[in-house]
Amino acid sequence: MNKLIIIGAGASGVYLSYLIKKAEPSLQVIVLEANKTPLKKLLATGNGRCNLSNQDLDPSHYETDAKNKVKAIIDDFDMVEEMKKLGLYTKYLGNLLYPRSEQAKSVMSILYKRATQAGVVFLFEQKVIDIEAGNGYIIKTDKQTFHSDGLVLAMGTRAGRLSNDFNRLDIVKHLHLKARPYMQMLVPMLTDPLYKSLKGVRVKGHFTLKKKETVLHEEDGEMLFTNYGVSGIAIMQCSRYYQKGVSLHCDLVPEYSYEELKDIISHLDTLEGLLPRELCELIERKKLDPLKTMKDLTFTIKGLRDREFAQVEKGGLLMSNFDEHLESYQYPHLYACGEILNTTGDCGGYNLHFAFASAKAIAKGLERSSHVKN
């Protein structure tokens, strides 16, 4: 193989380009990116701090069609050590891993610098519109046509406001790879009732998503009231399990039982010692049952916010299309990594860990193939 093209200059694409070019300096590595700059979405992750990974990497945190394959890939990647090789130092804040600087800009700058220093060629504002396989690969963009011996699909998804709004699966339609349709995930929820007066109020608690009496998911954490429904990390985690007809049950004082809280309330002349003032005013104004509101504030979930408000989309190319090094069973030297694959993690660094880990898996596979050939 003399030329490899990577579609997508996100975290997995840029990191992979560096790993490949460093291992095989004579190989021509070109990255095609639809945006004007690389790593655009990376800059927004972790509220600009870039949550790289998590100490708890149990595969239950991922939705995928190949749990064992995903487990092997994520377990084989040590984010702390691999980032250190790039000159990027990290630190844990609780279970969450961040760059030492706590700036996504640091990660973006170092990744792109290492790739360009290694000799990777980046071509921007090249929106890929079609791919054909034959004698190698033909990649058509909205500006020109490229030919390559190998190809890596690292296009990400449409999730978030920083993404281009086109379905990545349309690009690979002529390859006839098995895929799951995309659906927004890690996204706020639309509710009934809607408490617009509570917009901006944050509460911590225990949140349960149910379909009739069946519990779909439970989550501890924070909820944010909005003018369209509810958001916050706990709610976005619950959105992974959304189905039509679900309800959200919120225990806003999980540290007390019903009986304990009933006794506490009986001795109080105000609820402001337990709840934010805005919520206390809502209970009084709407004449809500204080005990039920605090222990089981219930919403009917009408739907999810649009994909532009989502952190990720679940779905994509099935992992079953690819071997343990993410090379296609059907096409030689065709690989996929990151969000384009049907592997989506919870909030908390899971998706970035998989993006980097999947890139490393491909690099290992290419290195092994090169050694066998030589």
Side-chain angles (χ1 to χ4, degrees), residues 77-359:
F77 187 75
D78 187 329
M79 183 70 79
V80 172
E81 291 304 313
E82 294 300 329
M83 291 300 102
K84 194 180 293 184
K85 291 176 185 178
L86 297 174
L88 181 75
Y89 286 78
T90 56
K91 63 181 180 182
Y92 279 104
L93 297 175
N95 274 351
L96 308 183
L97 183 71
Y98 292 94
R100 183 69 182 76
S101 66
E102 291 190 49
Q103 288 189 332
K105 290 179 182 177
S106 301
V107 184
M108 184 275 287
S109 178
I110 288 177
L111 276 176
Y112 187 53
K113 184 176 183 179
R114 295 291 176 259
T116 53
Q117 284 176 336
V120 176
V121 175
F122 287 86
L123 300 177
F124 298 104
E125 296 183 274
Q126 293 277 356
K127 180 181 175 181
V128 176
I129 56 178
D130 194 21
I131 299 167
E132 294 181 8
N135 185 17
Y137 297 93
I138 300 171
I139 301 100
K140 297 178 182 178
T141 75
D142 54 355
K143 293 184 177 177
Q144 62 195 101
T145 298
F146 298 85
H147 294 77
S148 72
D149 306 308
L151 180 64
V152 180
L153 308 174
M155 296 96 81
T157 68
R158 294 174 291 178
R161 293 180 175 178
L162 299 178
S163 295
N164 288 294
D165 190 22
F166 61 91
N167 192 333
R168 276 54 168 177
L169 297 181
D170 290 342
I171 298 171
V172 296
K173 61 181 179 294
H174 289 134
L175 298 178
H176 305 291
L177 296 168
K178 294 178 181 178
R180 178 184 176 188
Y182 284 118
M183 177 180 174
Q184 63 266 47
M185 181 173 148
L186 304 186
V187 64
M189 294 179 171
L190 311 177
T191 67
D192 182 28
L194 190 61
Y195 298 125
K196 291 186 178 182
S197 65
L198 297 181
K199 179 183 176 182
V201 174
R202 297 177 182 273
V203 291
K204 288 186 169 60
H206 181 80
F207 305 96
T208 305
L209 196 68
K210 290 184 178 181
K211 188 164 186 179
K212 295 184 179 178
E213 296 305 313
T214 301
V215 173
L216 302 179
H217 185 65
E218 296 182 71
E219 190 75 30
D220 292 312
E222 185 177 81
M223 178 173 75
L224 169 68
F225 290 96
T226 71
N227 61 355
Y228 54 79
V230 290
S231 185
I233 290 179
I235 301 307
M236 295 175 84
Q237 300 282 46
C238 288
S239 73
R240 173 179 162 187
Y241 304 89
Y242 168 78
Q243 301 175 17
K244 285 186 178 181
V246 296
S247 58
L248 179 68
H249 299 260
C250 312
D251 184 349
L252 305 182
V253 279
E255 64 270 35
Y256 298 117
S257 68
Y258 267 91
E259 291 304 316
E260 288 172 332
L261 189 59
K262 184 177 179 179
D263 181 61
I264 290 171
I265 291 175
S266 69
H267 294 88
L268 297 177
D269 60 358
T270 176
L271 298 177
E272 287 189 39
L274 293 168
L275 299 173
R277 175 181 292 180
E278 297 88 345
L279 190 50
C280 297
E281 292 173 348
L282 179 79
I283 291 172
E284 184 176 348
R285 185 171 66 253
K286 290 189 173 291
K287 296 181 171 52
L288 302 176
D289 180 337
L291 184 59
K292 185 176 188 332
T293 301
M294 283 190 270
K295 292 300 291 182
D296 189 17
L297 178 62
T298 302
F299 297 96
T300 297
I301 304 302
K302 297 165 60 180
L304 304 176
R305 287 207 88 185
D306 293 338
R307 67 174 63 88
E308 66 178 295
F309 300 101
Q311 288 190 13
V312 294
E313 283 187 303
K314 61 181 178 181
L317 298 176
L318 298 186
M319 296 288 290
S320 58
N321 291 303
F322 306 94
D323 66 15
E324 69 273 20
H325 296 295
L326 300 177
E327 182 175 10
S328 168
Y329 289 119
Q330 189 174 350
Y331 300 100
H333 305 308
L334 175 69
Y335 302 84
C337 59
E339 288 183 29
I340 190 67
L341 291 166
N342 180 42
T343 297
T344 312
D346 287 335
C347 291
Y350 294 102
N351 290 298
L352 262 184
H353 186 98
F354 180 73
F356 283 102
S358 58

Side-chain angles (χ1 to χ4, degrees), residues 21-91:
K21 190 65 177 175
K22 183 185 176 190
E24 298 285 343
S26 62
L27 180 64
Q28 186 180 6
V29 180
I30 299 173
V31 180
L32 304 178
E33 171 56 48
N35 289 312
K36 295 180 180 180
T37 56
L39 299 159
K40 196 172 178 182
K41 286 174 69 174
L42 182 78
L43 288 174
T45 59
N47 292 321
R49 294 194 299 164
C50 197
N51 182 191
L52 289 163
S53 185
N54 197 297
Q55 290 205 74
D56 173 18
L57 286 172
D58 191 275
S60 63
H61 290 288
Y62 292 90
E63 186 163 331
T64 180
D65 60 290
K67 288 279 188 186
N68 290 338
K69 193 178 295 183
V70 168
K71 176 175 170 54
I73 290 170
I74 61 177
D75 286 352
D76 194 42
F77 187 75
D78 187 329
M79 183 70 79
V80 172
E81 291 304 313
E82 294 300 329
M83 291 300 102
K84 194 180 293 184
K85 291 176 185 178
L86 297 174
L88 181 75
Y89 286 78
T90 56
K91 63 181 180 182

